[in-house]
Amino acid sequence: MATCEKLAKCPFYQGKMSMETGLGSMYKQKYCEGDKTTCARYMIATKLGPDYVTNSIYPNMTEMALKMIEKNQK
Ligand code: SF4
């Protein structure tokens, strides 16, 4: 599986978001270097645009992402 093209700029991947020990690298493996299409940040960025992706959104927040997309999509 290809790595996410947003790696270089994504605050999550760049370690600019605080996270619990251990979980960060697990998420990076699962989403950033695994399946980016299931990443909440990626989903929101591609459906609504990068402005919607705040630093409080973590890759595993898919349920919230789906709700947010549903609410904001025209
Ligand atoms: S957190 Fe999501 S958007 Fe950011 S680099 Fe990883 S897969 Fe891509």
Side-chain angles (χ1 to χ4, degrees):
M1 197 104 43
T3 55
C4 177
E5 72 275 12
K6 299 184 191 298
L7 287 184
K9 287 190 181 161
C10 183
F12 173 78
Y13 197 80
Q14 297 303 317
K16 293 188 181 136
M17 286 164 63
S18 63
M19 57 186 106
E20 291 165 44
T21 325
L23 276 184
S25 58
M26 205 182 83
Y27 288 165
K28 282 182 189 177
Q29 232 173 29
K30 182 173 175 189
Y31 301 101
C32 317
E33 294 156 8
D35 188 2
K36 65 187 179 192
T37 59
T38 59
C39 166
R41 295 179 62 82
Y42 191 87
M43 285 160 61
I44 296 167
T46 49
K47 295 272 186 201
L48 300 175
D51 289 350
Y52 285 85
V53 192
T54 62
N55 279 9
S56 58
I57 301 169
Y58 285 81
N60 62 322
M61 296 179 174
T62 43
E63 210 168 297
M64 189 278 281
L66 289 172
K67 278 190 193 138
M68 193 172 164
I69 291 164
E70 196 183 326
K71 202 173 129 198
N72 291 287
Q73 224 171 19
K74 284 169 194 121

